[in-house]
């Protein structure tokens, strides 16, 4: 998938195209319904398929006090969009300059002049342009003037999550589930296990001293970190940029929290113990940590012996849970 970071990067002869516009935070089932419809519509046309999205939630610029934490980081989002089979993504930096662009100028600059759009798909809650003045109705009127059609793709309701039957699939709901540690329910809305991305750094080496060495992620992790606790999941080593092939995947017991038994970790840490694999050197490697299932909440133990006994049980439970999960 080609990634454009501004309209200036789009070749003059690019297009024609069909376009889906949205924040696409998490690329959940509702977002995928839009992208899937776009791919089907484009199949009978000799056109490029493009997602237009942003490098951050617009609220981060417009009203940071109301901006929720992102489900995925921007590079994760780009990877997820690429996996759908789209030809290109226009990832706009939502700074103050873009926030000041009127809805009409947005359409002219990016959709008409930049992407030579023939068709645009958006979700039901779509707004765009300065002050959110643009909506699907305005987009459709401009489409009539500029020769492109517009379709609003309806919301997707989930029947797969117990207790949430009929609720609209949204990034807000996914954040609620992750904040409660309910990664398995979140996965049903995402269509995959939730993951965070980061760089492995040196920690206090306490896991190694206790017989359970861990790969500690740097604090600037990308993606929504679920509730404190112990999880079963996968550690995926990402290939360096430019290197072909997918990275190695390892089953892992994952800890999220501040290590209350020792009470000497000032901020939440994501750390993963690779199961049944010794001698891995992961320092400075870029990794994804995927959360498959929660084993237990974070707990303070009365001494090292009790902690080690519980960690042994955690690893056994993680191994058992992952043995039935598709790697």
């Amino acid at each position: 998938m080609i990634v454009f970071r501004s309209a200036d990067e789009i070749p003059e002869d690019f297009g024609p195209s069909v376009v889906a516009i949205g924040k696409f935070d998490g690329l959940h089932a509702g977002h995928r319904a839009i992208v899937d419809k776009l791919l089907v519509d484009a199949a009978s046309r000799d056109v490029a398929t493009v997602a237009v999205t942003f490098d951050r939630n617009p609220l981060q610029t417009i009203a940071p006090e109301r901006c929720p934490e992102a489900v995925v980081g921007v590079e994760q989002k780009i990877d997820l969009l690429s996996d759908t089979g789209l030809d290109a993504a226009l990832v706009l930096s939502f700074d103050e300059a873009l926030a000041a662009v009127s809805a009409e100028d947005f359409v002219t600059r990016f959709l008409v002049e930049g992407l030579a759009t023939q068709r645009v798909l958006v979700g039901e809650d779509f707004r765009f342009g300065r002050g959110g003045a643009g909506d699907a109705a305005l987009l459709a009127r401009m489409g009539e003037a500029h020769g492109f059609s517009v379709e609003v793709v309806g919301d997707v309701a989930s029947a797969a999550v117990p207790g949430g039957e009929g609720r609209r699939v949204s990034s807000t709901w996914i954040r609620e589930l992750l904040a409660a540690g309910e990664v398995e329910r979140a996965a049903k809305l995402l269509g995959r296990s939730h993951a965070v991305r980061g760089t492995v750094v040196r920690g206090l080496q306490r896991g190694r001293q206790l017989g359970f060495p861990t790969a500690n992620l740097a604090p600037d992790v990308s993606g929504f970190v679920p509730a404190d606790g112990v999880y079963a999941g996968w550690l995926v080593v990402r290939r360096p940029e430019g290197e072909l092939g997918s990275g190695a995947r390892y089953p892992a017991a994952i800890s999220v929290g501040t290590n209350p038994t020792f009470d000497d970790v000032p901020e939440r840490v994501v750390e993963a113990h690779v199961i049944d694999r010794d001698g891995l050197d992961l320092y400075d490697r870029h990794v994804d940590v995927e959360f498959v299932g929660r084993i237990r909440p974070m707990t303070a133990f009365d001494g090292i012996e009790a902690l080690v006994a519980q960690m042994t049980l955690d690893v056994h439970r993680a191994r058992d849970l992952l043995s039935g999960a598709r790697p």
Side-chain angles (χ1 to χ4, degrees):
M1 184 180 75
I2 304 169
V3 179
F4 305 120
R5 301 283 180 166
S6 71
D8 294 337
E9 295 183 7
I10 304 172
E12 290 186 5
D13 60 350
F14 186 86
S17 70
V18 291
V19 172
I21 312 176
K23 294 192 291 290
F24 299 126
D25 185 21
L27 201 66
H28 55 61
H31 300 143
R32 292 199 312 278
I34 298 173
V35 173
D36 290 347
K37 182 71 168 60
L38 177 148
L39 293 169
V40 170
D41 287 356
S44 60
R45 307 166 181 243
D46 185 19
V47 294
T49 53
V50 184
V52 176
T53 190
F54 309 102
D55 68 342
R56 72 201 82 171
N57 188 318
L59 286 176
Q60 189 174 331
T61 297
I62 298 169
E65 72 282 356
R66 295 194 288 114
C67 183
E69 186 175 349
V71 175
V72 297
V74 63
E75 296 304 322
Q76 289 177 290
K77 176 164 63 174
I78 290 171
D79 286 348
L80 291 168
L81 287 169
S82 179
D83 288 344
T84 67
L86 289 169
D87 295 315
L90 174 58
V91 184
L92 299 172
S93 178
F94 203 99
D95 53 17
E96 292 183 359
L98 186 63
V101 174
S102 69
E104 292 81 2
D105 285 348
F106 184 96
V107 171
T108 301
R109 183 187 308 179
F110 300 115
L111 301 184
V112 178
E113 296 176 354
L115 296 171
T117 302
Q118 291 186 349
R119 183 166 172 75
V120 180
L121 284 77
V122 296
E124 289 188 354
D125 58 354
F126 175 70
R127 307 290 298 191
F128 71 107
R130 183 173 56 240
D135 57 11
L138 173 61
L139 190 62
R141 291 195 297 273
M142 293 198 69
E144 291 178 359
H146 291 284
F148 63 83
S149 62
V150 175
E151 180 174 351
V152 177
V153 180
D155 291 339
V156 173
S158 175
V161 177
E165 293 84 352
R167 180 175 176 179
R168 169 180 174 267
V169 176
S170 67
S171 300
T172 297
W173 188 8
I174 291 166
R175 280 188 288 268
E176 291 173 6
L177 293 173
L178 294 175
E182 298 185 45
V183 296
E184 291 173 282
R185 296 179 70 195
K188 294 182 182 298
L189 304 182
L190 290 166
R192 64 184 188 279
S193 295
H194 176 64
V196 299
R197 179 172 294 179
T199 303
V200 178
V201 298
R202 293 188 181 275
L204 298 174
Q205 305 291 306
R206 184 167 288 127
R208 185 175 303 277
Q209 296 166 9
L210 298 177
F212 297 92
T214 59
N216 290 31
L217 269 58
D220 60 345
V221 62
S222 294
F224 193 104
V225 178
D228 289 1
V230 177
Y231 299 82
W234 302 93
L235 184 144
V236 184
V237 182
R238 298 185 55 75
R239 293 286 189 185
E241 186 173 353
E243 184 176 328
L244 299 177
S246 59
R249 297 174 62 87
Y250 301 103
I254 304 159
S255 173
V256 176
T258 58
N259 202 334
T261 299
F262 296 95
D263 196 27
D264 57 0
V265 179
E267 55 188 336
R268 299 175 76 213
V269 174
V270 177
E271 51 186 326
H273 167 72
V274 175
I275 299 172
D276 300 329
R277 183 66 181 265
D278 297 325
L280 286 176
D281 183 4
L282 297 173
Y283 291 122
D284 299 322
R285 296 301 299 267
H286 301 294
V287 301
D288 287 345
V289 174
E290 299 178 2
F291 298 86
V292 173
R294 195 182 195 203
I295 294 173
R296 63 174 176 86
M298 189 58 68
T299 305
F301 292 91
D302 186 15
I304 292 178
E305 185 175 338
L307 174 60
V308 170
Q310 182 60 58
M311 292 171 71
T312 302
L313 291 175
D314 293 340
V315 170
H316 284 311
R317 290 188 62 189
R319 184 189 293 110
D320 290 344
L321 192 155
L322 295 171
S323 65
R326 183 171 61 88

